[in-house]
Amino acid sequence: MKDILADLSPVQRDAVRQIDGPSLIIAGAGSGKTRVLTYKIAYLMLNDIPPRSVLALTFTNKAAKEMKERIIKVAGKQANKLWMGTFHSIFSRILRTEAETIGFKSNYTIYDTTDSLSIIRGIIKEMNVNDKVYRDRDVYSRISMAKNSLMTPAAYASNAQLANEDIQSHRPKISGIYQRYFMKCRNANAMDFDDLLLYTNILFRDNPDILKKYQQWFKYILVDEYQDTNVAQYLIVKRLAEVSRNITVVGDDAQSIYSFRGARIENILNFRKDYPNYTEYKLEQNYRSTQTIVNAANSLIAKNKKQLKKTCFSEGDVGEKIDIIRAFTDQEEGQLIASMVVDTVYGKQVNYSDIAILYRTNAQSRIFEDSLRRRNIPYRIYGGISFYQRAEIKDALAYMRLAVNPLDDEAMIRVINYPARGIGNSSMDKIQAYALDNNLSLWETVGKLPLTNTGPKDSVNIGVKDSILKKIAEFRELVESFIIKVNTEDAYSFASNIIRQSGMMAELKANRTPEGISRIENIEELLNSIKGYIKNSESSGDSPMIAEYLQNVSLITDMDKDSSKDSNKVTLMTIHSAKGLEFSYIFIVGMEEGLFPGSNSIQSEHSLEEERRLFYVALTRAAVKATISFAQTRYRWGNLGSSTPSRFLRDIDKSYISASSAKSALETREKPQLSNFYKKSEKTDGDHQYKPLKPAMKSQEKVDETAFIPVGTEVEHARFGRGRIVGIDVEGNDVRAKIEFYTAGMKTLILKFAQLEIIENPEK
């Protein structure tokens, strides 16, 4: 016993020693929470607690496996008798035993995501609804959300708010799809992953005797990553712990970043209310990062109001200060980061695999992929696919490919019914069969089809209805209109017109789910890449058409086909994907208002605090050095727009930022250079020119309509009081400021009439 406790710090030992009663272990980033949880379970067993009475819940099978292996080394093979695993695996074991009580057989099947999507696609076909509007993954995500909120189909159907949301997203029949899906699973004696949570709740809710059995069985309950639990998981754990009250939860509210998946930070914040006689332990020593990184992260997260207070520290090296890199454009940002990666690898003598580039949205990967390729830097996309392999990007490129080369059958198969135009699989099978029999391309085949089946005697009849023939003819006319412009429009105009005229953009905009918004962002990024390609080519005297761009893309995507098993690569990933990982050197990119935090987050304090927690997670992935970058101008929908540094950069104590970085990147009031906002002048030589607005006035001076005021500036208004600028728009000759006043709420004011005063020291 003494030996295992000797490996722990004093606070870790205290947390492990507590056997009885509820305990909350607040574990900061890199603080060894897995070690504490592992040793506590081993400690219970070494104190003669039967392993069968211990329930340990994790979020990944990998975590459960690693913990059990460690416990076996400490406490012996009796650890195999532990009830230890993911929420889903443990609840599945319970449901196997109690299946008949809820109308299932014990040999029920568990559907994975692929199975579920296949069933949903079948239902969508049965109900004869548009599968481009009712995308299988979007519908599946909606049903998953309902189940994790413990909503059966009947509850979903009776919820007016959900019904209205579905109507707004042009998918009013989701309730009906959910009902059919639910019944198909039951009739097949099957559950999906979300059902394992839903039915366990139903089992315990409706069967008090069964609940009592498991309450008496599980005397000790331990939960990892408690901040990530959703409603269903929270209620199951709460019910099981009601009798013994011997519950230990481990987590970090500062790393609660999955609300979009249903995770509720309130679960960990309210632990004290649920278990008033709890004992709290704070694991505050970070064993991963330098003192500078830990202290910088502390200064950042301290700005959040909703949190469990802790002060993390490191006894490691002081370490290098954080660099903040200001790029003039998003393209330059990619180039700068690629150069710094090379400098880091050769200057610090480290591997590529010691480095990660973290971004807020998947769409941002494209610029960094391109920049790394140009420098022959090996990389991998973690938790996602290459930008050019994403479905919506491939759809858009397929339209362009078909216009450039109408004989491209694969491109035609991909887009002939996207967006949905009534040319289904049956019709496509007949077109393909005729093409094969007559050694024709699909394009040549549709060119031979008549407008109606009563057409000329020598016309082709493939056995489809007149209404389908009309749709095929309309599609051909659409593509022909693109073909005409292949060699007359520049690549950007051509691509923009295809995305709009094909109906793709309208289709994407109809879907306002997080996945749908991400697809729109990816299309925007594709257009940005084309704009950048044109600009680079024009500097060489060329004016590229779409064919040249597609050739360039095909060369890029060919390089993606890397069959090498070499793992020495720079990692590119979203910050959400990075949670739980660590790297020696981290680059956090795109730190701009409207991007990070996102424009949809700044209206809500709850959302803004989660965005700040996300930045905290990014910063604490670094062990040795963190570098942050932002661009002052970024392409959005092909237009060069100005950007301002993220407000979160000012949340970091300047003492942890390199002096040169702070001066050049953050002190933009004194030296704006490329300002955060621009006025557009006359168009000259085909390019827009921009001039910076003049710097903001000093404190107590009135602000005029041409003033440069960064987003985040504290101001005071004679009527509305104090507030913070959250957005600036230039409309004609007017500069409008969107201001969140602390007492009067959100207001939009024209600066030349507002008579605002800048508050230089808002904390005073």
Side-chain angles (χ1 to χ4, degrees):
M1 183 68 61
K2 183 177 180 181
D3 289 338
I4 72 166
L5 295 180
D7 293 336
L8 305 175
S9 69
V11 67
Q12 289 175 333
R13 280 197 295 272
D14 291 342
V16 166
R17 283 196 186 105
Q18 182 182 335
I19 291 180
D20 299 320
S23 62
L24 169 62
I25 301 176
I26 304 171
S31 63
K33 70 174 180 62
T34 303
R35 170 183 286 260
V36 171
L37 202 55
T38 300
Y39 277 54
K40 180 154 189 172
I41 296 170
Y43 187 82
L44 288 170
M45 295 169 61
L46 293 174
N47 275 277
D48 299 323
I49 303 298
R52 290 185 180 275
S53 67
V54 177
L55 171 62
L57 297 167
T58 67
F59 273 86
T60 66
N61 289 307
K62 180 182 177 183
K65 182 175 180 291
E66 291 177 350
M67 287 173 62
K68 183 169 283 189
E69 288 173 350
R70 293 187 193 181
I71 295 168
I72 289 174
K73 290 181 180 178
V74 176
K77 291 185 178 180
Q78 61 173 328
N80 285 319
K81 298 179 181 179
L82 288 165
W83 279 70
M84 183 174 193
T86 64
F87 284 88
H88 294 91
S89 65
I90 294 297
F91 298 160
S92 176
R93 287 180 64 183
I94 294 173
L95 291 173
R96 292 280 182 203
T97 304
E98 314 297 343
E100 292 185 3
T101 305
I102 54 174
F104 284 83
K105 296 179 181 179
S106 61
N107 64 340
Y108 65 81
T109 299
I110 298 177
Y111 283 154
D112 61 16
T113 302
T114 301
D115 297 322
S116 297
L117 291 172
S118 179
I119 296 169
I120 289 171
R121 282 194 295 271
I123 294 171
I124 289 170
K125 188 174 182 179
E126 290 171 10
M127 294 178 63
N128 195 29
V129 295
N130 189 336
D131 62 359
K132 299 303 180 181
V133 175
Y134 290 84
R135 288 179 176 265
D136 51 6
R137 288 191 176 275
D138 295 336
V139 174
Y140 176 69
S141 177
R142 190 72 169 168
I143 292 173
S144 176
M145 176 278 297
K147 289 183 177 180
N148 285 319
S149 298
L150 303 180
M151 299 185 72
T152 61
Y156 189 99
S158 63
N159 189 299
Q161 179 180 339
L162 294 178
N164 185 59
E165 290 174 1
D166 288 342
I167 290 171
Q168 292 296 318
S169 66
H170 306 290
R171 296 177 300 180
K173 295 184 179 180
I174 284 185
S175 177
I177 296 174
Y178 183 14
Q179 176 63 43
R180 289 198 188 194
Y181 175 73
F182 193 81
M183 292 311 301
K184 279 182 179 285
C185 289
R186 287 197 69 95
N187 292 339
N189 190 39
M191 299 184 196
D192 64 20
F193 272 42
D194 298 314
D195 284 329
L196 298 176
L197 303 181
L198 176 65
Y199 282 118
T200 302
N201 269 288
I202 291 174
L203 175 70
F204 290 156
R205 182 196 67 192
D206 298 343
N207 301 277
D209 292 343
I210 293 176
L211 172 61
K212 184 177 180 180
K213 178 175 74 173
Y214 288 98
Q215 287 173 333
Q216 294 175 340
W217 193 327
F218 300 130
K219 301 287 188 182
Y220 299 90
I221 299 173
L222 303 97
V223 185
D224 192 17
E225 303 286 10
Y226 193 63
Q227 78 280 351
D228 292 337
T229 53
N230 59 28
V231 172
Q233 292 159 335
Y234 164 79
L235 288 176
I236 293 170
V237 170
K238 193 169 186 291
R239 284 191 173 110
L240 289 173
E242 278 176 349
V243 175
S244 72
R245 311 287 284 182
N246 296 328
I247 178 172
T248 298
V249 302
V250 183
D252 183 6
D253 58 295
Q255 297 186 66
S256 179
I257 59 174
Y258 294 121
S259 65
F260 66 96
R261 294 180 185 169
R264 298 174 72 250
I265 189 174
E266 291 78 12
N267 293 348
I268 192 168
L269 296 178
N270 294 336
F271 185 86
R272 299 163 173 171
K273 296 179 181 177
D274 291 337
Y275 305 94
N277 62 329
Y278 79 104
T279 304
E280 183 174 285
Y281 302 94
K282 294 182 179 180
L283 307 184
E284 297 174 306
Q285 182 171 357
N286 183 306
Y287 297 95
R288 172 193 302 153
S289 307
T290 65
Q291 294 180 32
T292 295
I293 291 171
V294 172
N295 292 338
N298 285 345
S299 67
L300 167 74
I301 203 64
K303 304 301 188 296
N304 271 13
K305 297 177 182 177
K306 187 183 290 186
Q307 62 173 297
L308 300 172
K309 292 291 184 181
K310 62 181 179 297
T311 304
C312 294
F313 66 94
S314 169
E315 293 184 351
D317 295 337
V318 173
E320 297 180 60
K321 292 189 176 183
I322 296 169
D323 284 332
I324 298 180
I325 306 303
R326 179 179 62 181
F328 293 128
T329 67
D330 47 359
Q331 293 291 332
E332 185 188 41
E333 182 185 27
Q335 295 163 10
L336 288 172
I337 296 302
S339 295
M340 295 183 74
V341 166
V342 172
D343 292 344
T344 301
V345 168
Y346 292 100
K348 304 290 187 181
Q349 295 296 299
V350 299
N351 294 321
Y352 286 115
S353 56
D354 293 322
I355 300 171
I357 298 173
L358 307 183
Y359 36 78
R360 179 64 182 85
T361 67
N362 277 310
Q364 292 170 257
S365 75
R366 194 272 306 169
I367 287 174
F368 298 97
E369 288 185 66
D370 290 352
S371 297
L372 294 175
R373 286 194 192 98
R374 292 191 190 100
R375 300 294 296 269
N376 292 318
I377 299 171
Y379 72 91
R380 63 172 183 146
I381 303 289
Y382 184 96
I385 58 176
S386 175
F387 177 84
Y388 295 104
Q389 295 301 311
R390 292 166 187 157
E392 58 278 6
I393 301 303
K394 291 180 74 68
D395 290 337
L397 292 176
Y399 265 113
M400 300 174 205
R401 283 168 45 194
L402 188 60
V404 171
N405 176 20
L407 301 182
D408 187 336
D409 281 356
E410 289 301 311
M412 185 166 177
I413 290 171
R414 189 171 188 98
V415 301
I416 192 170
N417 200 41
Y418 177 70
R421 50 178 58 91
I423 307 172
N425 292 336
S426 176
S427 299
M428 278 304 299
D429 289 344
K430 293 173 182 177
I431 294 172
Q432 288 178 279
Y434 184 89
L436 182 63
D437 291 342
N438 294 275
N439 196 30
L440 297 172
S441 70
L442 299 181
W443 180 254
E444 291 168 329
T445 300
V446 299
K448 291 179 176 292
L449 298 181
L451 294 177
T452 69
N453 285 304
T454 58
K457 291 182 179 180
D458 59 346
S459 62
V460 173
N461 187 336
I462 62 172
V464 298
K465 298 177 181 179
D466 286 355
S467 59
I468 303 300
L469 290 173
K470 181 182 178 182
K471 296 292 185 183
I472 293 173
E474 290 172 350
F475 170 74
R476 183 178 173 87
E477 289 176 6
L478 175 69
V479 176
E480 285 176 338
S481 72
F482 297 152
I483 293 172
I484 293 171
K485 300 175 182 177
V486 163
N487 296 315
T488 60
E489 288 188 347
D490 67 85
Y492 177 78
S493 299
F494 183 83
S496 299
N497 288 334
I498 273 189
I499 290 169
R500 186 182 69 257
Q501 294 172 13
S502 66
M504 275 191 64
M505 185 50 64
E507 182 80 11
L508 293 171
K509 285 185 175 179
N511 180 2
R512 302 309 298 172
T513 65
E515 293 83 1
I517 293 171
S518 178
R519 293 188 189 104
I520 294 174
E521 292 172 342
N522 289 337
I523 291 295
E524 175 190 358
E525 190 61 22
L526 175 65
L527 294 177
N528 292 342
S529 75
I530 297 173
K531 193 77 167 185
Y533 180 75
I534 291 174
K535 186 174 182 179
N536 291 335
S537 299
E538 286 177 343
S539 65
S540 303
D542 297 324
S543 182
M545 299 299 168
I546 196 64
E548 289 92 328
Y549 174 77
L550 291 174
Q551 181 177 333
N552 178 66
V553 169
S554 68
L555 292 172
I556 291 175
T557 53
D558 283 342
M559 294 176 67
D560 286 336
K561 299 172 184 176
D562 181 9
S563 59
S564 170
K565 295 183 179 179
D566 179 18
S567 60
N568 185 25
K569 300 177 181 180
V570 175
T571 298
L572 275 65
M573 67 174 78
T574 64
I575 302 169
H576 282 103
S577 298
K579 185 172 177 292
L581 303 177
E582 62 180 76
F583 297 87
S584 297
Y585 298 87
I586 289 289
F587 293 90
I588 309 170
V589 299
M591 287 300 302
E592 300 147 30
E593 286 291 303
L595 189 56
F596 195 5
S599 55
N600 293 330
S601 302
I602 61 177
Q603 309 297 333
S604 160
E605 183 174 347
H606 178 83
S607 298
L608 192 60
E609 291 207 347
E610 177 154 338
E611 290 282 287
R612 187 178 284 110
R613 292 195 295 270
L614 190 60
F615 185 29
Y616 175 86
V617 167
L619 201 55
T620 54
R621 297 312 92 197
V624 178
K625 176 68 183 288
T627 301
I628 302 167
S629 67
F630 68 91
Q632 290 189 283
T633 58
R634 184 175 293 274
Y635 275 108
R636 295 184 183 276
W637 300 107
N639 293 315
L640 187 65
S642 58
S643 301
T644 60
S646 170
R647 68 188 68 193
F648 296 152
L649 298 183
R650 296 184 184 276
D651 287 341
I652 301 175
D653 191 312
K654 287 186 178 180
S655 63
Y656 307 118
I657 298 173
S658 63
S660 59
S661 290
K663 184 173 182 60
S664 65
L666 294 181
E667 296 180 4
T668 51
R669 289 187 185 180
E670 289 77 9
K671 191 178 181 181
Q673 295 187 18
L674 277 180
S675 74
N676 295 340
F677 305 100
Y678 297 79
K679 279 189 173 179
K680 192 180 294 184
S681 70
E682 294 295 323
K683 191 172 182 180
T684 306
D685 296 330
D687 290 322
H688 287 297
Q689 294 183 340
Y690 300 84
K691 63 178 182 179
L693 303 175
K694 66 185 184 182
M697 307 296 181
K698 295 180 180 180
S699 179
Q700 305 307 315
E701 291 187 22
K702 298 299 180 185
V703 181
D704 69 15
E705 73 274 18
T706 62
F708 161 67
I709 312 178
V711 168
T713 300
E714 192 101 12
V715 295
E716 186 166 4
H717 185 269
R719 176 181 174 189
F720 302 128
R722 287 195 177 190
R724 188 179 190 184
I725 293 180
V726 298
I728 293 283
D729 293 312
V730 179
E731 185 175 320
N733 293 322
D734 292 333
V735 180
R736 300 174 184 270
K738 181 177 283 187
I739 306 170
E740 185 176 8
F741 289 101
Y742 303 132
T743 56
M746 193 70 69
K747 305 288 182 183
T748 299
L749 305 177
I750 298 175
L751 287 185
K752 64 184 176 184
F753 301 126
Q755 295 187 320
L756 297 174
E757 292 182 353
I758 293 176
I759 308 301
E760 292 288 359
N761 298 299
E763 68 277 5
K764 292 184 179 180

